[in-house]
Structure formats: structure tokens, C-alpha cells
Amino acid sequence: MSGLLRRHRDFRLLWCGETAGKFGAAVTNVALPLVAVTTLHASPFAVGLLGACGWLPWLLIGLPVGAWVDRLRRRPLMLGAAGLSLVLFAAVPLLARYGGLSLGLLLAAALLAGASAVVFQTAYSAYLPTLLAPADRAEGNATLHGSASAAQLAGQGTGGLLAQLVGAVHALSVNAATFLLALLCLRGIRHREPRPAARDRGLRTLAAEVAEGLRLVAGDVWFRTLTLFGAASNLALMGYQSIAAVFLVREVGLAPGAVGGLLALGASGGIAGAFLARRAAARFGTARALLLCELGLSCTALCMPAAVHGAGALLYVAGSFGVSAGVVAGNVLKVSFQQRYCPPALLGRLIASSAFLNYGTLPLGALLGGTLGSVLGVRPAMWIMTAGVPLAGLILLFSPIGRVRDLPVRPAAGERPGADGGGPEPEGRAKAAPLPGA
């Protein structure tokens, strides 16, 4: 257990609730498409549409939620979002038990759960810096990302096993239980945020705050580059992930239980990535470490579509391991940079504005993967979408990030984030350790 977990009770509760939620989400990420594939006999396009519904709310409500989060205390928002998710994932197995499950209801549940996730993730990302002192944020972010990867590893394996033993529908009950645990942990946190400064709460002001967040992303070269990269990368990632269950069952010939185990082995790369991030940044610099993770490791994605039945299925594991390691390490570096470089009063809007563009491509990627799978076949679609993962990293290579050793700590004198000019000074060698999390 890290020193921060031992000495900081409130962080320990937040860590416990967040890790439980990630475990349940990983179970659901395996179980939900397996319900569509094995129970409802859905087409690749329908499975892709199911993945799209989970991320579509970032496009629909992501921007106003960011401004809303900056107006209110974050912890009550997290409690409400977790409560809604608990109700949703408890309802799906009940509907199935009484013969009411359909693809339409499954899509609706994914859409509402996605809306809840928008509120929770935006509030959570803005809440963490208020809970931890600046000196503790790097350790806190690395701890949370590492635990999330471990929870994903365990959750995917558990999801496949439960789908094999009790059916994919009943495996969704696990997510309901984890949201209950998250609720209890959040309620136990003693830290109370200060009330945000009073401001005009009209719709016109809300629109102005949303516009300010978008200008912040568009006007700063560092935020702009990372957001464009995230959008392109997520398009490719969700493109292949949305049809991964179909690929592994129908092309590679695996049973549902084996699918979960294979996904879990690949996801274990995230643990390695969380361990790698701070060390790579200390040795190479934060900008170069980001390139190493998001461009170098992502090339392993091309192993996945080459997977075949038998020992050849390990090619999928190798590719997924490398991609997971690169994504998690990159997220630790990117979020740490955001928390340190962005003014705290704008952090919620920055998170929502960048997430609007980053996560907004996820439903498009899911639909693209499903469409390509239906039109060209699942394996050709996997080749196309996995190739997009390393190609997205070229955005970083040909940006200012590719020309510096470190990401900036703060804007240059006279500058503020969102106003391009002389540009912020890069972090020096003595400050090369990674910053607070993403």
C-alpha cells in the first residue's frame, strides 16, 4: 500500500470507491456486448451501436456539465451519478428475469449509464485536486490509474467467467454492487469542498462559461494538441474495441469465458503503464515519455487482428498489453499536466471541453467499427481500426510536444492558458518527474 493510502483516510475512501467502480465497469464492458452477441444474436453493427450509446452523452451533455461542475460542489454530483448507475444496472437483470429484455432496452440503459458517467467523471477529475495537496497529486494519480488498471484486469476476467457460469445478463449485477460500494465510500469522505463563488446562473452565463472552456482548449497549443490527439486515438481505440467480442468469438473461435480471460491479460498492461509513467518521465522528460507511450507502445496494436485460434490468440494479448500500457501511462502524464497547468477555477470546463472532443469520437469509432465489420468483415475492420492507433500518435510527434523534453509546468510570464503567444516555458530537467494525474 502506498504512503498516501496509509496516511490519507479520505483519499483511501475515494480510491476504494473508484477502484470498485472500475471493476464493475470492466465486468460490464465484457458482459454487455456478450449479452448482445450470445443472447440477443445482434449483428456487428448493433454491437457497435451499443458501444456508441455508452459514449454518446459526452457529445450531448459534456460541455454544459463541465460548466455546471465548476458552479457546484463536486462530491454531491458524484453521489447522484453513482446512485443512478446503481439503479440502472440493478434493473437490467430484473427485466431479463421477467422476459422484458430487448436490444432497445439495452441501448437505453447504456445511454443513461453513459450520461451518469459524464457527470461522475467530470466531477471526479475536478474534485481530486481539492482533496490532495499539490505535493501528493502525482502519487495520487499514479495510484488511482494503477488500481484502475488492476481492477480492469480483474473485472474483465471476472466478467468472462461469470458470463460462462451464470450468463452474461446476471454478470451485470456485479456492476450494481460495485456502485453501491462506491456510494458508501463517497458518503464516508469527511473532506468538504468550499462553496464555489456565487455567480450569475442564467442560461446566457452558462453558454458563456461553455464557450470559455472551448476557447481554453482551442487557444492553447498544448491543450489543443493533446485534445486533437485524444480525439483521433479514441476513434481508433473504440473502433476495434466495439467489435473485439465479435472478433474473438466468431473469428478466433473463443468461448465467452475465454474472451474475458484474454481481455484481462491484455488489460494487465495498464498496471505496467501506471508503474512506467513516473519513471519514464523522470528519465526521459514528460514530453518524450508521452511520445514513447502513445506512439511507441501503440504500434503493438497491429498484433491484435493477426490473432487466430489456439496459441495464435496470444497475439491479441500482446497487442492489447502494449496498447493498455501506453494509454494508461499517457493518461497519467496528460492529466497531471492539466491539473498543474490549468487554473483550478477553469479545471471543470477544461476537462469537459477536452472530453467533449476526446470522448465525442468514441461513439463515432464504435459505429465506424461496427459498420466496417458488417460491410468488409470483422477481421478487415480490426486491421483498419488498429492501424489508426499508432497513426494518431503522429499528431504528438509533429506538434510542439515532439520538439521539447518536458511538458510545461505553467504558462510563460504574461501568458495564461488559452492564449497562444510566446508559449509556456518547458519544464526543466530538475522538474522532469511526472505531474499530478489525468
Side-chain angles (χ1 to χ4, degrees):
M1 182 180 290
S2 72
L4 187 58
L5 285 174
R6 285 195 302 270
R7 71 177 188 271
H8 200 305
R9 175 187 176 276
D10 285 345
F11 176 74
R12 187 163 61 247
L13 285 170
L14 181 67
W15 168 80
C16 182
E18 172 68 1
T19 302
K22 293 296 185 184
F23 175 84
V27 172
T28 300
N29 287 342
V30 174
L32 209 60
L34 285 177
V35 170
V37 172
T38 62
T39 303
L40 302 176
H41 307 290
S43 67
F45 177 79
V47 176
L49 182 61
L50 183 64
C53 283
W55 296 101
L56 186 60
W58 285 101
L59 281 175
L60 301 179
I61 63 171
L63 290 176
V65 164
W68 190 36
V69 162
D70 279 339
R71 293 179 171 197
L72 302 171
R73 289 192 174 108
R74 283 77 182 253
R75 179 174 163 272
L77 293 175
M78 294 160 63
L79 285 166
L84 175 59
S85 297
L86 167 62
V87 171
L88 286 170
F89 287 109
V92 171
L94 287 176
L95 287 171
R97 181 175 182 178
Y98 294 104
L101 185 64
S102 67
L103 183 60
L105 287 174
L106 211 58
L107 293 171
L111 189 65
L112 290 172
S116 175
V118 171
V119 176
F120 187 93
Q121 188 61 42
T122 305
Y124 163 79
S125 298
Y127 178 72
L128 184 63
T130 73
L131 186 67
L132 297 179
D136 287 331
R137 291 176 192 164
E139 181 184 351
N141 282 315
T143 300
L144 286 167
H145 279 278
S147 299
S149 296
Q152 183 181 16
L153 165 65
Q156 289 182 331
T158 302
L161 182 61
L162 288 174
Q164 188 83 0
L165 295 177
V166 300
V169 170
H170 297 294
L172 295 176
S173 302
V174 172
N175 207 5
T178 58
F179 277 113
L180 176 60
L181 178 58
L183 269 173
L184 295 174
C185 290
L186 288 171
R187 281 184 60 84
I189 293 176
R190 294 171 184 163
H191 170 74
R192 295 295 181 266
E193 306 162 80
R195 186 180 297 276
R199 63 179 76 173
D200 183 357
R201 308 204 173 223
L203 289 176
R204 180 173 298 178
T205 303
L206 180 66
E209 291 172 2
V210 168
E212 186 177 11
L214 289 172
R215 285 196 300 272
L216 179 65
V217 171
D220 186 276
V221 66
W222 307 97
F223 290 152
R224 185 170 63 243
T225 298
L226 291 173
T227 300
L228 289 173
F229 161 72
S233 178
N234 283 341
L235 181 76
L237 287 168
M238 183 52 67
Y240 82 75
Q241 289 174 5
S242 67
I243 56 173
V246 184
F247 173 72
L248 292 172
V249 170
R250 297 180 182 171
E251 297 289 328
V252 183
L254 299 180
V259 169
L262 209 68
L263 292 175
L265 286 173
S268 65
I271 302 173
F275 179 83
L276 168 70
R278 299 176 70 190
R279 290 153 184 82
R283 179 165 184 176
F284 304 113
T286 50
R288 292 176 184 174
L290 187 63
L291 283 173
L292 172 67
C293 296
E294 299 285 17
L295 179 57
L297 289 175
S298 68
C299 291
T300 61
L302 295 172
C303 295
M304 288 186 275
V308 293
H309 187 66
L314 293 177
L315 286 170
Y316 190 94
V317 175
S320 182
F321 185 96
V323 172
S324 296
V327 167
V328 170
N331 283 343
V332 170
L333 296 168
K334 287 182 288 184
V335 177
S336 298
F337 161 70
Q338 286 179 338
Q339 289 177 352
R340 202 160 165 181
Y341 184 77
C342 179
L346 295 173
L347 190 55
R349 275 162 281 178
L350 169 67
I351 292 166
S353 298
S354 57
F356 171 76
L357 298 168
N358 286 347
Y359 294 166
T361 59
L362 288 169
L364 301 179
L367 290 174
L368 179 60
T371 300
L372 290 174
S374 294
V375 174
L376 301 178
V378 176
R379 192 179 293 273
M382 286 287 292
W383 278 111
I384 293 171
M385 301 312 303
T386 53
V389 179
L391 287 176
L394 296 178
I395 294 173
L396 298 177
L397 182 63
F398 294 114
S399 76
I401 292 173
R403 300 192 293 271
V404 298
R405 182 182 188 274
D406 291 286
L407 295 169
V409 175
R410 61 186 65 85
E415 294 290 332
R416 63 185 291 270
D420 278 345
E425 290 184 5
E427 196 177 18
R429 282 185 182 269
K431 302 174 182 175
L435 322 168

